[in-house]
Amino acid sequence: MASTTLFPFLSIVSLTVLASAVGFSVELIHRDYPKSPFYNPTFSLSDRIQAEVQRSHARAAALRRIFFSQLHGGMSSTTNTKYSMLPADSPFSHALVSPSDSPFTSPSSAPPNAPIETYVIANSFDYLVSIHLGTPTREIIAIADTGSDLIWVTCEPCSDCYKQDAPLFNPATSSSYANIPCGTEKCNQLPFTQCDNSTSPSKCFYQYRYFDGSQTIGNLAQETVAFNTTDGNDVEFPMVTVGCSHVANGTFERQTAGLIGLGAGPLSLVSQLGSSIEHRFSYCLVPYDSTNITTSRLSFGSDAIISGDDVETTTMVDIDRETFYTVTLDSITVGKNSTLGPINRSYMIVDSGTTLTYLDSTVLESLMELLVKTIRLPQVEDSEKVFPLCFDESNAEPDFLYPDITLQLGKAIVTLKPYNAFRKINDKVTCLAMASNNNISSDNLSILGNIAQQNFHIGFDLAARKISFAPADCTKY
């Protein structure tokens, strides 16, 4: 019998194993797209903009703290987050050997640099993906996150899980499910390991905490992961390492049942699929004003190859935090000739989950000064005061166009069209879709947000450590 699905067009009765598949694409669903379980038809444009900016600011702050705290050696002790221990009556509490040497502890008893992996805000995401898990298959609607590695889903039994629309995944009903023992290579790829020695073989436990206080705890397992592709084929991959979470609480939202890590770390989906997808993936994000028309695309293997005369490619920066896709921001040009003066060269994370683009405050100020001189429209403050620079278009000429903004990212020259750099907030006002990265951290980190990435085919080659950018009409991809 077909599994129940949140997306009717993804209903599957059975899956065919396509072991030789080297190229496929799946739908990448924006949370405000009508097919998304988060879609709210009563939301106005103003409602959506406020929500996306709040999510973006929260995620950017978390990315900065994580990036630099690990770059400088260890997690910061000033994150001001709260985490709960496993409930005393939890069936998994026996996995905790003692409060003194267990990583599953609360901040009051844990040292500042407790070995628990910390990730970004639990609900600060913009894109979803559907996967099919287990045998027989179960559809899972999960967050697609380039800022995380581990693939995890909520599982039965769950002693402390957030409320969800869909039933939890039950590993006992899947013939392809197998727990991963402690001491194995996959278990050792976790940032820390905690063993449950009461079973034979022992179970490998993880705890991931998020900067907003959310956390997920579970055991590592192997399971079959499958996708319904955009060309109508079904492709599955056996023995993928996933986290089966038996505790998941905090700000996770009921419409999702887990997270698909698309980062560069060893436990991410991309790293695990490895040579079968040629160590590469890509995405093509449709502009926000087209999200009612079509979905974006997430591609793997040969489908993710980017070619053509207009492809710009740069090398990723080697840093301790291997999860993030990091390049350097070397210069900024407005229009064809107006280049900002010397700017502080900075790291720049290419991130699909952050909405706005973030720049060093001095760089952003210089950019805004140059834009004001170039655009020559009256400035106006947006009613919600969330954007740094806005323009009144009431008396603009019919053929008025905002200038392109070109970023030099290492060896890649990436030209942002007006829809990549500006956000129209009503019929008469358009604002710069950028913000300062110095509100919390004094460190110089930039983030290329997903507005800036729209209508680019962006490819990530993990083997060659390269990122490629090619202009594209993502509505036709």
Side-chain angles (χ1 to χ4, degrees):
M1 183 174 65
S3 60
T4 302
T5 177
L6 294 179
F7 295 161
F9 57 88
L10 291 177
S11 180
I12 292 179
V13 176
S14 63
L15 292 166
T16 302
V17 178
L18 300 176
S20 61
V22 294
F24 65 97
S25 299
V26 298
E27 290 191 304
L28 193 58
I29 310 292
H30 190 275
R31 61 182 298 150
D32 291 330
Y33 183 62
K35 291 179 181 178
S36 164
F38 289 90
Y39 178 67
N40 186 341
T42 67
F43 264 28
S44 65
L45 176 61
S46 176
D47 293 332
R48 290 197 299 273
I49 290 174
Q50 287 184 59
E52 69 190 29
V53 169
Q54 290 173 359
R55 291 194 306 268
S56 186
H57 286 345
R59 183 177 176 91
L63 284 173
R64 288 194 296 271
R65 287 173 172 173
I66 295 168
F67 183 90
F68 282 108
S69 61
Q70 295 205 0
L71 190 67
H72 298 328
M75 288 303 305
S76 170
S77 60
T78 59
T79 56
N80 296 322
T81 52
K82 295 180 174 62
Y83 311 96
S84 62
M85 297 176 65
L86 281 170
D89 58 352
S90 167
F92 305 98
S93 60
H94 61 268
L96 313 186
V97 290
S98 74
S100 61
D101 58 6
S102 169
F104 299 158
T105 53
S106 63
S108 59
S109 60
N113 294 323
I116 302 175
E117 189 73 332
T118 307
Y119 280 95
V120 294
I121 307 299
N123 63 357
S124 63
F125 64 90
D126 280 348
Y127 292 94
L128 303 166
V129 67
S130 170
I131 67 169
H132 294 265
L133 194 66
T135 308
T137 182
R138 257 289 312 279
E139 186 194 26
I140 304 291
I141 305 302
I143 299 165
D145 188 11
T146 56
S148 299
D149 291 327
L150 183 67
I151 307 163
W152 65 264
V153 299
T154 48
C155 293
E156 293 184 3
C158 191
S159 59
D160 183 15
C161 275
Y162 61 99
K163 292 182 179 179
Q164 296 172 43
D165 290 342
L168 302 182
F169 179 73
N170 186 354
T173 64
S174 174
S175 61
S176 51
Y177 177 92
N179 290 318
I180 291 179
C182 278
T184 58
E185 179 184 359
K186 290 297 183 183
C187 185
N188 292 336
Q189 287 175 343
L190 287 166
F192 71 93
T193 57
Q194 176 70 32
C195 291
D196 174 6
N197 294 313
S198 66
T199 62
S200 181
S202 60
K203 292 181 180 179
C204 175
F205 273 82
Y206 61 87
Q207 180 179 16
Y208 277 41
R209 53 165 62 156
Y210 295 79
F211 261 96
D212 60 0
S214 304
Q215 65 175 349
T216 181
I217 302 171
N219 64 279
L220 217 55
Q222 287 186 334
E223 185 56 287
T224 296
V225 175
F227 301 90
N228 181 260
T229 67
T230 54
D231 62 5
N233 292 321
D234 304 323
V235 56
E236 69 177 33
F237 298 90
M239 301 178 66
V240 176
T241 300
V242 300
C244 199
S245 288
H246 303 287
V247 172
N249 54 41
T251 63
F252 299 110
E253 298 180 87
R254 60 180 177 79
Q255 296 93 332
T256 63
L259 184 145
I260 305 301
L262 295 172
L267 289 174
S268 76
L269 175 66
V270 186
S271 294
Q272 288 196 65
L273 298 188
S275 59
S276 65
I277 59 165
E278 302 171 342
H279 303 279
R280 69 175 81 234
F281 80 103
S282 69
Y283 51 72
C284 202
L285 307 180
V286 302
Y288 277 17
D289 59 6
S290 299
T291 53
N292 286 335
I293 302 172
T294 187
T295 59
S296 299
R297 290 290 184 270
L298 175 64
S299 302
F300 300 88
S302 58
D303 278 20
I305 294 175
I306 301 177
S307 59
D309 296 335
D310 53 359
V311 178
E312 295 285 340
T313 300
T314 191
T315 301
M316 288 184 264
V317 178
D318 290 323
I319 56 173
D320 291 338
R321 181 70 188 199
E322 60 185 353
T323 299
F324 301 136
Y325 297 105
T326 309
V327 296
T328 58
L329 172 62
D330 299 295
S331 70
I332 301 177
T333 301
V334 174
K336 294 183 178 180
N337 302 310
S338 300
T339 300
L340 268 66
I343 66 172
N344 293 329
R345 188 171 186 256
S346 70
Y347 293 120
M348 174 169 261
I349 296 174
V350 181
D351 183 53
S352 65
T354 305
T355 307
L356 304 179
T357 290
Y358 291 82
L359 302 174
D360 176 79
S361 60
T362 57
V363 174
L364 181 63
E365 289 171 6
S366 298
L367 175 60
M368 291 191 298
E369 289 176 3
L370 190 51
L371 288 172
V372 169
K373 293 178 181 178
T374 304
I375 294 173
R376 297 183 179 180
L377 287 179
Q379 296 176 56
V380 63
E381 192 173 77
D382 70 288
S383 58
E384 302 300 331
K385 299 181 180 179
V386 296
F387 293 102
L389 178 64
C390 298
F391 296 97
D392 183 354
E393 301 172 348
S394 299
N395 297 314
E397 296 294 330
D399 59 349
F400 170 80
L401 294 175
Y402 286 91
D404 295 343
I405 298 177
T406 300
L407 309 179
Q408 181 181 344
L409 306 179
K411 293 182 179 180
I413 306 300
V414 179
T415 298
L416 307 183
K417 296 299 181 182
Y419 55 75
N420 296 122
F422 298 91
R423 185 79 161 98
K424 195 172 187 66
I425 64 172
N426 60 46
D427 291 340
K428 297 182 179 180
V429 177
T430 293
C431 300
L432 181 67
M434 299 184 185
S436 167
N437 69 356
N438 298 111
N439 292 331
I440 296 177
S441 171
S442 60
D443 290 301
N444 189 9
L445 175 69
S446 301
I447 302 170
L448 188 69
N450 58 48
I451 291 179
Q453 298 178 57
Q454 292 167 6
N455 269 354
F456 280 99
H457 189 190
I458 302 179
F460 303 82
D461 187 331
L462 274 63
R465 300 281 302 164
K466 294 184 181 297
I467 302 178
S468 297
F469 303 82
D473 182 351
C474 294
T475 64
K476 298 178 181 178
Y477 180 70

